Amino acid sequence: MAMLTLIRRTFGVMKENGPSHVLSIGTIAVAFFLFAAFLLLPLNFASFLEAWEKKVQIILYLKDGVEEQRILQLKGELQKEEGIREVRYISQRTARESFERDLAGYGGILKGLKEEIFPASFEITMEEHFRTPARIRSLASKLSTIKEAEEVQYGGLWLERFSLFLYILRWSVWILGGVLIIIIISVTANTVRLTLYNKKTEIEILKLVGATDAFVKLPFYLEGGLQGLLGAGGAIVLLLAVFRFFFHKVSPYISLYFGQLRLSFLPPNMIGWILGIGVVSGLLGGLLSLRKAA
Amino acid sequence: MIHFFQVYKTYPGTIKALANISFKIEKGEFVFVTGPSGAGKTTLLKLIIRAERPDRGEILVNKRNVSRLKNSQIPMLRRTIGFVFQDFKLLNNKTVYDNVALVLRAVGHNKREIPKRVRQVLRVVGLEDWVLRQFPLKLSGGEQQRVAIARALINTPSLILADEPTGNLDPELTVEIMNLLQKVNTLGTTVVVATHNTNLVSQYQKRTIPLYRGKMAA
């Protein structure tokens, strides 16, 4: 019963100062939206990276004049190598035909090119668990020691840069999170302070007639907590709407280039944490302003 | 009821508000605290309700030493005291009913009894039921002060402190409010009125505690 009265008083306090509450809940929601979006990005970039890694191949270009028997032997050796799933030999002729096929529109220009200028190569596909930047780099480096290897190519640099970007992004989330929590505390504290100012006489009278500290202050703490909760909740709903739009309208186009993306929204425990951070930082905001003002 | 014993109070900036104040007010008395502006009347009332703490000396209210009261004990002290202000301090965005009921809600009074109790106390101060749903600014100054007195009385305090309760009222309303405070006093409540109005003091022939520049005047 007392709890019900307290909740009613809290909503009463918020209703009386409606526009500033809407404004501060909106500000908190924007701050949380950025935070949640930054949490969502690495989560899905990881799946993007995974999708891209599936397409990663190592191409081992052979020197000219390697004998056919040695080629067969090398193919056998490569297939036995740990982490390699498939090895496909591309002869000089196949390479030229493929090149011609790819540039068919240029017609006669390609005529006269000799197949000797196209190096023979092995296209190597790796086992799934081997498709990490570190393992691909290490395998490529090992393959480059083969005597007959002219050059070993893989999308390594791009992959490594992307991994680094992901790593920085993950750290940025925490830094941004810290900054956002400070913003949320300060926004809530200021709104609660404004409410306190508006209700100065009421608080004075309540104290004078013998209301306990808890009776006077609890609605203001709850006000802060509720603002944080509503702000964080609003941000999650907004992010879900943006995510759904991206999932249905944008991701099919990206999938065309990078294969099927496994996009996922924030898991329930992470949503719980965000709402929890909202409530706690809102309460802290209320606590801060009450310590100074009441 | 109230016992001040060699009380001193200085505000920051070495403004001496009260110095060496000693007096006694018995239960059921009606007392004026008199003196010009800046004499220390409001400070004295604030010390009684522990809105201020004395620098030196002891203050007993209802046998409680308020100068040594813990913060958590202050609400209990204040529940035995009703306070009336010069500017009424009514909440203008709340109805008369809510202004008066606020006190009972704050002290956790039985919810079902609140409406009945509010009506009773408004009748005691001479207000009829029609004012219940009115907002304070719709009422006259005298009616607003009656509502403020009703708010001070609703928790059946043993002591009423009134700080210049007629300061904003014309002579006719002043008499009305003073008569009301007298009526409250005859019902057994101790009343302390702080005022600078010497005519009022001479008109009512009550005991006075005169203050001048923070000291007891001779």
Side-chain angles (χ1 to χ4, degrees):
Chain A
M1 199 64 174
M3 193 62 193
L4 203 69
T5 312
L6 179 66
I7 291 169
R8 204 174 293 148
R9 280 183 64 215
T10 307
F11 276 108
V13 164
M14 291 178 81
K15 205 174 139 192
E16 278 175 35
N17 208 6
S20 59
H21 276 106
V22 171
L23 199 69
S24 74
I25 289 170
T27 315
I28 293 169
V30 170
F32 265 114
F33 177 80
L34 288 172
F35 179 57
F38 263 76
L39 281 174
L40 193 60
L41 280 178
L43 206 74
N44 284 293
F45 269 146
S47 99
F48 175 74
L49 189 69
E50 214 173 277
W52 195 84
E53 277 168 354
K54 275 184 190 163
K55 295 177 78 81
V56 164
Q57 281 184 327
I58 294 177
I59 299 170
L60 190 155
Y61 291 103
L62 295 169
K63 287 178 180 167
D64 289 339
V66 182
E67 286 178 7
E68 208 169 313
Q69 202 177 344
R70 175 63 184 145
I71 288 169
L72 282 172
Q73 195 187 350
L74 268 175
K75 190 177 177 185
E77 281 171 16
L78 287 172
Q79 273 167 337
K80 280 183 207 154
E81 192 71 46
E82 194 206 344
I84 291 178
R85 181 200 277 172
E86 192 187 341
V87 178
R88 201 160 76 93
Y89 174 66
I90 311 288
S91 68
Q92 286 181 307
R93 173 180 292 180
T94 316
R96 196 194 68 182
E97 283 167 2
S98 159
F99 191 71
E100 279 175 356
R101 240 191 341 269
D102 290 346
L103 299 171
Y106 292 89
I109 295 174
L110 299 174
K111 275 189 180 168
L113 284 177
K114 291 178 181 172
E115 67 185 38
E116 286 78 44
I117 67 163
F118 296 96
S121 61
F122 286 116
E123 275 183 11
I124 301 164
T125 310
M126 280 142 303
E127 298 282 0
E128 232 169 89
H129 68 274
F130 229 78
R131 291 172 192 156
T132 63
R135 289 191 145 177
I136 294 168
R137 189 176 56 229
S138 131
L139 182 63
S141 144
K142 190 175 173 187
L143 296 181
S144 63
T145 59
I146 295 172
K147 203 172 67 180
E148 290 81 2
E150 176 77 39
E151 193 187 346
V152 177
Q153 273 187 5
Y154 66 104
L157 195 62
W158 193 88
L159 198 65
E160 276 173 32
R161 278 183 186 163
F162 191 73
S163 295
L164 181 69
F165 167 70
L166 213 58
Y167 178 77
I168 292 168
L169 195 69
R170 276 179 187 138
W171 272 103
S172 308
V173 168
W174 296 113
I175 295 164
L176 186 80
V179 173
L180 288 176
I181 284 170
I182 293 168
I183 292 173
I184 292 155
I185 291 174
S186 128
V187 167
T188 321
N190 280 323
T191 319
V192 173
R193 204 169 296 147
L194 193 68
T195 318
L196 279 173
Y197 181 77
N198 288 340
K199 296 188 83 73
K200 206 174 139 203
T201 314
E202 189 174 334
I203 291 169
E204 193 184 334
I205 290 163
L206 283 173
K207 285 186 164 185
L208 217 54
V209 300
T212 58
D213 236 27
F215 183 88
V216 175
K217 289 179 176 175
L218 268 175
F220 296 100
Y221 291 138
L222 274 186
E223 180 193 345
L226 206 61
Q227 267 187 39
L229 180 71
L230 291 175
I236 300 282
V237 171
L238 190 67
L239 188 66
L240 185 65
V242 173
F243 176 80
R244 279 180 175 271
F245 173 80
F246 186 85
F247 189 85
H248 293 296
K249 306 281 179 191
V250 183
S251 94
Y253 296 103
I254 296 178
S255 296
L256 282 177
Y257 295 96
F258 296 101
Q260 193 58 47
L261 290 178
R262 278 194 294 113
L263 292 180
S264 51
F265 194 63
L266 300 170
N269 67 331
M270 214 178 254
I271 293 175
W273 272 105
I274 291 172
L275 295 177
I277 291 170
V279 173
V280 172
S281 41
L283 284 173
L284 277 174
L287 194 78
L288 208 70
S289 60
L290 279 163
R291 239 177 51 149
K292 281 184 184 171
Chain B
M1 182 85 202
I2 302 172
H3 191 176
F4 270 53
F5 184 74
Q6 293 178 343
V7 173
Y8 288 77
K9 176 68 190 174
T10 305
Y11 285 114
T14 65
I15 304 158
K16 277 191 178 173
L18 292 174
N20 197 19
I21 303 293
S22 297
F23 63 83
K24 215 172 178 180
I25 296 174
E26 298 296 342
K27 191 170 181 258
E29 256 194 296
F30 191 119
V31 176
F32 282 115
V33 178
T34 62
S37 294
K41 303 186 294 291
T42 302
T43 303
L44 189 139
L45 297 187
K46 281 183 173 175
L47 287 168
I48 295 173
I49 57 166
R50 245 304 287 280
E52 295 289 350
R53 216 180 190 143
D55 302 329
R56 271 166 62 192
E58 305 293 338
I59 302 166
L60 295 176
V61 177
N62 285 332
K63 293 174 189 167
R64 282 192 183 114
N65 189 341
V66 296
S67 33
R68 292 179 191 191
L69 224 51
K70 286 181 193 164
N71 282 345
S72 59
Q73 294 171 316
I74 295 173
M76 292 305 141
L77 165 79
R78 290 181 182 171
R79 287 177 191 190
T80 64
I81 303 170
F83 209 101
V84 180
F85 303 88
Q86 178 179 359
D87 59 354
F88 323 133
K89 283 213 193 307
L90 295 173
L91 304 170
N92 294 329
N93 59 345
K94 289 192 192 296
T95 61
V96 166
Y97 175 84
D98 284 330
N99 265 283
V100 180
L102 180 83
V103 181
L104 295 180
R105 289 184 192 132
V107 299
H109 201 86
N110 186 339
K111 256 178 124 181
R112 286 184 192 160
E113 287 176 17
I114 294 177
K116 191 179 150 196
R117 185 90 192 95
V118 172
R119 279 192 177 83
Q120 274 177 347
V121 80
L122 284 175
R123 263 177 231 136
V124 169
V125 299
L127 291 171
E128 290 167 20
D129 282 359
W130 69 269
V131 296
L132 284 170
R133 298 282 150 223
Q134 300 298 315
F135 288 91
L137 292 179
K138 295 269 181 189
L139 305 176
S140 69
E143 284 167 336
Q144 288 187 52
Q145 194 56 298
R146 280 169 190 273
V147 174
I149 293 172
R151 185 180 63 192
L153 286 175
I154 193 150
N155 205 22
T156 53
S158 54
L159 170 67
I160 290 276
L161 302 176
D163 191 5
E164 302 277 8
T166 58
N168 280 357
L169 305 176
D170 60 37
E172 209 174 305
L173 289 174
T174 298
V175 173
E176 268 186 32
I177 294 302
M178 285 311 297
N179 288 346
L180 178 57
L181 288 173
Q182 261 196 316
K183 181 182 161 190
V184 169
N185 179 237
T186 54
L187 294 172
T189 310
T190 311
V191 177
V192 179
V193 177
T195 182
H196 68 278
N197 187 339
T198 46
N199 291 336
L200 194 72
V201 176
S202 56
Q203 200 179 333
Y204 282 87
Q205 300 283 311
K206 302 287 183 187
R207 184 159 82 91
T208 62
I209 297 171
L211 294 176
Y212 186 73
R213 291 187 177 173
K215 289 180 181 163
M216 300 275 284

